[in-house]
Amino acid sequence: MNIKFSFDYLNPLFALILGLFLVNFSERVALREGKGWDGVTFVYYSQHFDSLASNRLINAKIEEPKLTLTHKINRFFPSMVAHYALRTAQIPINTPNIIEAFAYYQVFCLVLASIFIGIIGQKFDLQEKNKWLLWCLLLCNFAVIKRSFYEPALTDLTAICLGIGLIAAWSVDNWKGTVGLLVLAMIGAFTWQPITIYAYFLLFFPRNIKLIEEKNQYLNWFFPLFFGGLFLYKFLMDYEAFGVRIFSNAQEMHFGQVPVYQKALFVSAGLASLFTAGYFGFLLKNCSFKNLIYFIKPNIIFRISFIFILYFAVNYLNSLVAPVGTSLDPTSGAVAGTASAAVQNPFGILFSFMYSPLALHSPLEFVIQHAAFFGVSFVIATFFYPKFTEILRKEGGIGFILIFLVSYASSMLNPQSRIGTALFPFITFLAVLLIDRQNWRKELYFLLILVNIFASKIWLTIGDFTDPAFSWVRWYSSFGLWANLRSVVINGFMFVLLGGILWIVIYKNLIMNYLTKWKIFTKK
């Protein structure tokens, strides 16, 4: 019997080999006995999970010598897995073993993500080469195979895995997919909050709900002008009321962050306003008000019931481990933010979704740093954005549009790319779907993977730094809020260069046609 060793068989195996290699040979942070920064909280959760859960203190303020650990959102799921894995194996639950358990748990996430990628490839009928490309762009970047194993006691890779899982479950589009969305959303509520919010949208707008599009010249001009102008208006209001101080203070959340580059503040605001105009203009292009018909269809009752089931299940699970009186509403952060903003200004609800002073740290640093953190998918999404959003509307529909709308200020505009971890799988998936549907030449694939490795700094040797003064230039060159001006300029130059090369290669025929039309070149 002939056995075909296709992507579906090999990619989980490659993920396992890659993960085991990284566990044994990759760099590890030495700070705080290998806990790193946020890892202090998650190691503490894992070490004391029984007492914290039994006393309902998972979501409480925990005091430890020289450290105050506070997490508004329960992100204890990976810590719980590490805790019970060690207990089951009868291994002492101490700091070195917990960190090692987290490292092997990251391997499990890599393998599970690979299985999800296989499902996505099948359901969207991707070419074999594009399945491999999706695997490479999702898993072979700084965020996954550098950061997640350098500082293993984190929840980031779990969030990426869950994000990929949401796309896979949504693509199945039957009762199994709905159950999958519910399960992933409940895990996400205790790992990375936006996962649950995204699941709300995907449950409400399944894959079989198609977006109704119709050309409307007035609306297509209104959206970019409105959102771009609103961003600029909010900036000018903040600047007039508080001066440059509000933008500087926005960067001082942690010791060691680089102050805002004041000389470029107005340039940053202008570019961010144009970026906002393009983002919303193309995202909402040709969207028809006829889509509101969906809200009066009979099957909407079932979709609403799924959302209520998820809402109450998450809060019930939270009540078992959290202090009395604390609730875990997966929308509470967004609702509280928009309500507070709406009280201050009639446009407050819009400002909360499409404006952030963090975007003005330095010119377009947010999107530049995303490419340095996550890889080439952000370069593709930026330089091919009109086609990217066309694929988003056609293949992702209303659910994907809502995800990109609510994630703009919190994820896209934040130069600390890690905040956008949950959105990253959606951007990468759509970037590869664009490549698949446009049937890019196979010669480009080596270039794309090479650019991904180079741009996202997988090759970067960090070194064994333990100085608590946050002085790691190499490490922070991939983190917007800590990156110095030199790092930002270098990242920006490479971003434009790589994106420009891709754009020229893809649209070479188009450029040659124009040159021929202008009689600069002549056809042979």
Side-chain angles (χ1 to χ4, degrees), residues 26-37 39 99 146-147 149-153 462-466 472 475:
S26 65
E27 290 181 281
R28 292 280 183 91
V29 65
L31 186 69
R32 297 172 187 150
E33 301 177 290
K35 300 173 189 176
W37 295 272
I99 292 171
K146 194 68 178 182
R147 177 176 173 78
F149 289 89
Y150 179 73
E151 191 182 356
I462 300 163
D464 183 17
F465 296 102
T466 56
W472 306 269
W475 173 240

Side-chain angles (χ1 to χ4, degrees), residues 440-515:
W440 286 17
R441 297 202 306 270
K442 63 181 181 180
E443 293 84 3
L444 279 173
Y445 284 69
F446 176 75
L447 174 64
L448 288 171
I449 295 170
L450 188 65
V451 167
N452 195 65
I453 292 171
F454 184 77
S456 64
K457 297 184 176 63
I458 297 171
W459 47 269
L460 184 67
T461 301
I462 300 163
D464 183 17
F465 296 102
T466 56
D467 178 12
F470 290 77
S471 60
W472 306 269
V473 175
R474 283 180 287 175
W475 173 240
Y476 284 122
S477 65
S478 293
F479 290 82
L481 295 175
W482 290 272
N484 58 28
L485 184 59
R486 182 172 178 268
S487 295
V488 174
V489 170
I490 292 173
N491 283 338
F493 174 77
M494 295 308 301
F495 176 79
V496 173
L497 178 64
L498 296 173
I501 291 172
L502 281 176
W503 194 90
I504 289 171
V505 170
I506 296 302
Y507 291 108
K508 180 180 177 182
N509 292 334
L510 178 64
I511 293 171
M512 290 299 293
N513 288 339
Y514 276 118
L515 293 176

Side-chain angles (χ1 to χ4, degrees), residues 159-178:
I160 291 173
C161 179
L162 292 173
I164 299 169
L166 287 182
I167 300 170
W170 180 79
S171 69
V172 172
D173 199 26
N174 56 30
W175 69 267
K176 295 179 183 178
T178 301

Side-chain angles (χ1 to χ4, degrees), residues 67-142:
L67 291 170
T68 301
L69 312 178
T70 57
H71 271 253
K72 295 180 180 178
I73 305 166
N74 287 338
R75 288 166 61 184
F76 64 78
F77 180 79
S79 300
M80 181 182 71
V81 172
H83 174 87
Y84 284 110
L86 291 173
R87 281 187 59 176
T88 302
Q90 297 184 338
I91 298 172
I93 303 177
N94 53 38
T95 296
N97 289 338
I98 290 171
I99 292 171
E100 204 64 21
F102 264 101
Y104 280 98
Y105 169 74
Q106 307 286 37
V107 177
F108 169 78
C109 288
L110 278 180
V111 174
L112 185 59
S114 296
I115 294 171
F116 287 148
I117 292 169
I119 294 172
I120 294 169
Q122 288 180 353
K123 294 300 178 180
F124 284 90
D125 197 26
L126 295 179
Q127 300 176 56
E128 194 78 3
K129 61 181 180 180
N130 290 323
K131 293 179 184 178
W132 283 109
L133 182 64
L134 181 62
W135 186 88
C136 289
L137 299 192
L138 279 171
L139 302 183
C140 298
N141 53 62
F142 182 91

